Amino acid sequence: MRRFAWVVGLAWAVGACTPMVPERVRLYAEDGVHLYHRGSYAEARDSFQAALTLLPTDANLIFNVGQCNDQLGQFDRAEALYRDCLARAPEHAECRHALTVLLHKRGKRADALANIDDWFRRAPNKPGPYAEHGWLLQQDGDRGAAQRRFQEALAIDPRNNLALIELARHYEATDRPNRALVLYERAVEFNPNQPAVAQQIALLRAKGATRPKPD
């Protein structure tokens, strides 16, 4: 099952840093994003790590370094970085998902569920934990329960990216490509920098999927 991955956007809390630091951080981080999307994960990690040296407590940078280690197969290091990111930013949705995926991939389902339960305790009225639990249920093959979780997430926030994408994939798997197309398009409308999702939209259209007509 395809995983749509992303690196978080560049949003830095500069604080009391010297005037030269923010520009240097931005340049390192932009270079890291470019290298990551090119598949040069080791070089991207070096760029993010250079930025992190200048802003050592920035959760986004910690997450990005973790993503690079994850892609390079250095899973222990990636897990440690994800947990460090969440210790600083407990509602960091991309990091929550990355950690859930990594734990599931390593056969640590109980730990993955504990990560989601912790998020539910911290943010019971936010869409993130509902979408995350849906993702885990979907990996278990419980598509009905997963669908309900995604719908619960979207009832709270119709823009939730993970719920939109995973519910679209659910519709693809159950032979409802038109409904999948609508959700993929909505995900890209709200979060344009998702080339894998854009590619899936093009594939569905090439196969004849269209937006459902109004009743």
Side-chain angles (χ1 to χ4, degrees):
M1 187 171 285
R2 187 184 300 107
R3 174 187 170 197
F4 296 108
W6 61 88
V7 176
V8 295
L10 307 180
W12 314 120
V14 175
C17 297
T18 64
M20 289 301 294
V21 170
E23 179 65 13
R24 291 171 64 195
V25 169
R26 184 184 66 79
L27 291 173
Y28 280 133
E30 287 181 350
D31 188 50
V33 169
H34 171 73
L35 290 165
Y36 184 94
H37 286 302
R38 200 175 71 183
S40 301
Y41 301 119
E43 292 82 359
R45 180 182 58 188
D46 290 343
S47 292
F48 288 130
Q49 190 64 58
L52 189 60
T53 300
L54 300 172
L55 283 181
T57 63
D58 187 273
N60 286 342
L61 288 173
I62 293 168
F63 168 70
N64 286 352
V65 176
Q67 284 270 276
C68 294
N69 280 283
D70 200 339
Q71 293 288 350
L72 290 166
Q74 297 175 353
F75 300 133
D76 287 340
R77 181 59 180 153
E79 181 178 341
L81 286 161
Y82 292 154
R83 292 190 183 280
D84 186 13
C85 171
L86 291 174
R88 302 171 190 277
E91 292 189 43
H92 196 300
E94 293 91 344
C95 190
R96 284 283 183 184
H97 184 56
L99 180 58
T100 301
V101 172
L102 178 59
L103 292 170
H104 182 269
K105 179 168 59 179
R106 302 186 78 188
K108 300 180 177 180
R109 189 191 184 283
D111 290 343
L113 186 57
N115 174 47
I116 296 168
D117 287 343
D118 177 66
W119 200 2
F120 268 118
R121 285 192 296 271
R122 293 175 182 272
N125 299 317
K126 298 291 183 67
Y130 293 91
E132 201 65 45
H133 192 213
W135 183 90
L136 188 60
L137 290 166
Q138 192 150 273
Q139 309 315 300
D140 294 341
D142 193 346
R143 289 183 174 175
Q147 180 181 3
R148 288 191 292 275
R149 280 306 202 195
F150 297 140
Q151 290 170 338
E152 286 176 304
L154 293 173
I156 298 170
D157 180 5
R159 302 168 65 101
N160 184 270
N161 197 58
L162 180 61
L164 287 170
I165 290 172
E166 294 300 331
L167 188 55
R169 293 174 69 191
H170 167 80
Y171 287 139
E172 274 197 273
T174 53
D175 199 27
R176 287 177 282 181
N178 293 349
R179 298 187 72 177
L181 178 63
V182 170
L183 293 174
Y184 283 138
E185 288 179 340
R186 193 175 302 163
V188 169
E189 177 186 352
F190 295 143
N191 297 280
N193 188 26
Q194 300 189 87
V197 182
Q199 183 179 12
Q200 195 64 15
I201 290 171
L203 181 61
L204 285 173
R205 287 175 177 166
K207 291 180 177 179
T210 59
R211 281 179 166 267
K213 295 180 179 179
D215 295 332

